[in-house]
Amino acid sequence: MTDRWIDNVPDAPAGILGAWFNALVGGALVLGAPTIAFTTGEAPASVLLAIAALVLFGFLEVVFVYKLYQRIAGRRALRAGRDDD
């Protein structure tokens, strides 16, 4: 068993509603934060803020999708184990 940092991250939200909520809020943050940063403030600061926000929220979405994939794979493995019995 490996001790990776991502294994210590909580699982993705349970159920369809949790997944859709995360996808919609995450998508709004990924698109909205850089848009707000570009339309307000001074040029150098707004560009840096937009890049930082895009990187941060993009990273959070990647972690979410990875954890959701792990959850789906775990359920499939559990279902396959029950089907074998």
Side-chain angles (χ1 to χ4, degrees), residues 7-84:
D7 293 332
N8 296 327
V9 175
D11 283 339
I16 295 289
L17 291 177
W20 273 107
F21 176 78
N22 189 305
L24 292 175
V25 170
L29 289 173
V30 167
L31 296 175
T35 302
I36 291 169
F38 277 133
T39 58
T40 60
E42 299 297 317
S46 66
V47 169
L48 289 175
L49 181 61
I51 291 170
L54 185 61
V55 168
L56 175 65
F57 295 128
F59 174 75
L60 290 175
E61 282 301 303
V62 167
V63 169
F64 166 73
V65 169
Y66 178 77
K67 296 299 278 187
L68 185 62
Y69 176 76
Q70 278 185 328
R71 225 177 151 161
I72 291 169
R75 286 188 180 177
R76 286 183 181 163
L78 184 64
R79 187 176 299 141
R82 279 188 279 160
D83 290 344
D84 289 342

